Amino acid sequence: MTTRAGFVALIGEPNAGKSTLLNRMVGAKVSIVTHKVQTTRARIRGVAIEGDAQIVFVDTPGIFKPKRRLDRAMVTAAWGGAADADVVVLLVEAHRGVTEGVEAILAALDEHSNPKQKIALAINKIDMVDVEKLLGITKELNERRDFAETFMISAEKGRGVEDLRKWLAKELPEGPWLYPEDQIADLPMRMIAAEITREKLTLNLHQELPYQLTVETEKWEERDDGSARVDQIVYVSRDGHKGIILGKRGETIKRISRASREELSEFLGRKIHLFLQVKVRPNWLEEAERYGEMGLDFKDGN
Ligand SMILES: Nc1nc2c(ncn2[C@@H]2O[C@H](COP(=O)(O)OP(=O)(O)OP(=O)(O)O)[C@@H](O)[C@H]2O)c(=O)[nH]1
Ligand SMILES: [Mg+2]
């Protein structure tokens, strides 16, 4: 039997639905999702199997005009994901069409890919537009670039996803599978746990605050009764931010902690005791160690 295997990078503007698509392809929540932009910060791999092919999907941070060091490191990580992949899928939101951000990505695509790679277009969130609008956008995008293939999908509702997966499977090179067949992700557990907490923080905090914090799993202690104690630190840069995260009588952090613990316990199928600590660290956005913990390269932020 000939098997196939390779990497498929999902790229696009922030909020395009890349992580939602990765999770759907894998059939499990491997990458966090929120309604806010710039949720994903590093490359996250998720593995799907389609017939004889093992498809390693690479979720990437959204590509946007970076301002801070962290932004630059994220965007570099995203383009790096594209450059290393066998196939690249560009996600564009159906209801937003060809935005300035999409234009910028199209303009930079050749520089960050090679002629041997196939680049497909996936117009996502088709559940939000009518057919006429969808056809208009499809035409406009295909006039700008000669994509290997165009797919119209709803990552959230699952429409069109099957066709995309089948096509990707046959585009991958022949070769042995890259991961054991029961493996769906390769992110260390402590990092998945930190990401789950960061998702809950992002969902519970307003405006800029989610962009000013990072979460790290400090300690992971297995207990005899099969449960685990997980200690995490939320780094913020200002006292005021700490106060907001704690909330009145600690209510906000309690809510966040509960939501994170529940999801983590469900993900692992066992009891988790989660302890969150908020630390003010004014300069964390300029510390190499923080980037390493996020799965980013500090130098990429230069
Ligand atoms: N209506 C609709 N919403 C979707 C669809 N796919 C994703 N979304 C929503 O779009 C929002 C962003 O989804 P994400 O998967 O986090 O987007 P992303 O591209 O990973 O975003 P970043 O990590 O910030 O770059 C979430 O609220 C999703 O629920 C879709 O097909 N239809
Ligand atoms: Mg994402």
Side-chain angles (χ1 to χ4, degrees), residues 83-95:
D84 293 342
D86 296 290
V87 183
V88 176
V89 179
L90 171 65
L91 273 80
V92 173
E93 287 169 283
H95 62 295

Side-chain angles (χ1 to χ4, degrees), residues 18-19 31-32 39-40 59-60:
K18 301 175 292 296
S19 303
S31 192
I32 63 170
T39 297
T40 306
D59 185 16
T60 65

Side-chain angles (χ1 to χ4, degrees), residues 14-20 34 38-40 62 124-125 127 154-156:
N15 226 31
K18 301 175 292 296
S19 303
T20 306
T34 80
Q38 296 164 37
T39 297
T40 306
N124 188 31
K125 311 195 184 183
D127 53 291
S154 170
E156 196 164 80

Side-chain angles (χ1 to χ4, degrees), residues 10-225:
L10 307 175
I11 67 163
E13 280 195 279
N15 226 31
K18 301 175 292 296
S19 303
T20 306
L21 181 60
L22 176 103
N23 293 340
R24 176 155 297 272
M25 289 294 193
V26 173
K29 188 165 152 189
V30 171
S31 192
I32 63 170
V33 169
T34 80
H35 58 286
K36 298 190 181 175
V37 296
Q38 296 164 37
T39 297
T40 306
R41 285 183 175 167
R43 289 188 293 250
I44 291 172
R45 288 176 181 177
V47 188
I49 289 163
E50 175 66 44
D52 299 335
Q54 186 177 57
I55 314 172
V56 183
F57 286 96
V58 183
D59 185 16
T60 65
I63 296 167
F64 61 104
K65 220 170 158 181
K67 293 198 189 84
R68 311 176 294 172
R69 177 186 277 272
L70 174 59
D71 303 344
R72 286 192 295 276
M74 284 162 55
V75 173
T76 303
W79 281 124
D84 293 342
D86 296 290
V87 183
V88 176
V89 179
L90 171 65
L91 273 80
V92 173
E93 287 169 283
H95 62 295
R96 294 181 69 229
V98 187
T99 58
E100 248 177 65
V102 170
E103 299 238 26
I105 293 172
L106 287 171
L109 206 45
D110 284 330
E111 185 191 326
H112 296 282
S113 58
N114 66 66
K116 274 194 278 178
Q117 288 174 309
K118 289 220 171 154
I119 300 179
L121 172 68
I123 302 176
N124 188 31
K125 311 195 184 183
I126 58 167
D127 53 291
M128 295 182 73
V129 295
D130 58 31
V131 176
E132 216 169 306
K133 175 132 193 225
L134 188 55
L135 294 177
I137 289 161
T138 307
K139 186 161 171 279
E140 199 184 339
L141 280 158
N142 278 283
E143 278 166 5
R144 280 168 202 253
R145 189 181 176 100
D146 191 15
F147 290 101
E149 197 73 55
T150 298
F151 296 88
M152 299 175 192
I153 65 167
S154 170
E156 196 164 80
K157 314 263 187 262
R159 281 163 59 190
V161 169
E162 206 60 0
D163 286 348
L164 172 57
R165 189 166 49 214
K166 288 212 168 81
W167 180 80
L168 288 168
K170 87 182 164 27
E171 292 302 326
L172 292 182
E174 282 182 15
W177 286 7
L178 302 161
Y179 289 94
E181 63 183 301
D182 56 355
Q183 189 168 343
I184 55 162
D186 72 351
L187 209 60
M189 215 36 247
R190 38 193 294 285
M191 221 136 150
I192 294 184
E195 283 288 273
I196 293 174
T197 299
R198 193 165 61 81
E199 181 190 86
K200 305 312 172 203
L201 285 158
T202 304
L203 292 172
N204 280 280
L205 301 168
H206 300 293
Q207 292 161 355
E208 278 301 298
L209 202 36
Y211 306 104
Q212 309 288 346
L213 60 80
T214 188
V215 182
E216 291 177 15
T217 303
E218 253 290 90
K219 238 170 46 194
W220 190 295
E221 212 176 82
E222 299 294 335
R223 290 195 170 167
D224 291 341
D225 62 0

Side-chain angles (χ1 to χ4, degrees), residues 249-264:
R249 291 187 300 275
E251 275 161 18
T252 309
I253 188 95
K254 255 188 234 152
R255 189 167 68 237
I256 290 165
S257 183
R258 189 187 318 119
S260 180
R261 168 174 48 80
E262 282 170 1
E263 188 167 321
L264 190 54

